[in-house]
Amino acid sequence: MTIHQFDIFADYFQLYLMDDEADDNTSEIWTDEALDIKLAIAKNTVAVGTYRNIDVKFELEVLESEPKVDLNEWDHASLGFVSFPSGKCAVMVVLIICLMQRA
């Protein structure tokens, strides 16, 4: 098992784990169900919803097999599966840049 630790600002209440070469269209993955469980999934992308726009500490565990997890031990837990065929995972946040032109 390999553990990667992150401290990332979850702007717009979300962060993304995706295959480094993914070309998934994530514009429509936040369905009502996904918003409710705070987890949206595309073929090679997982979007994690947060409760606030704050720095989020999280760990990503890379395992060789499916772990045994008791979801009842957590305040909130969602289960999903994703594939990283390139072997590289990118961690991303939403960044919106507004450009204003002076009149």
Side-chain angles (χ1 to χ4, degrees), residues 83-102:
S83 174
F84 300 122
S86 75
K88 296 178 184 175
C89 175
V91 178
M92 303 174 71
V93 295
V94 175
L95 176 63
I96 297 176
I97 298 173
C98 297
L99 300 176
M100 298 178 67
Q101 186 176 13
R102 291 187 182 166

Side-chain angles (χ1 to χ4, degrees), residues 6-17 30 38 46-58 91-96:
F6 298 90
D7 190 357
I8 192 167
F9 185 70
D11 209 4
Y12 294 92
F13 303 91
Q14 58 193 302
L15 58 95
Y16 288 79
L17 303 169
W30 285 109
K38 303 284 189 240
V46 153
V48 179
T50 64
Y51 288 98
R52 293 179 184 81
N53 284 345
I54 60 172
D55 287 330
V56 176
K57 293 182 182 193
F58 72 96
V91 178
M92 303 174 71
V93 295
V94 175
L95 176 63
I96 297 176

Side-chain angles (χ1 to χ4, degrees), residues 58-70:
F58 72 96
E59 291 183 351
L60 175 63
E61 296 180 3
V62 180
L63 307 170
E64 296 295 324
S65 61
E66 184 176 344
K68 291 183 175 145
V69 178
D70 182 1

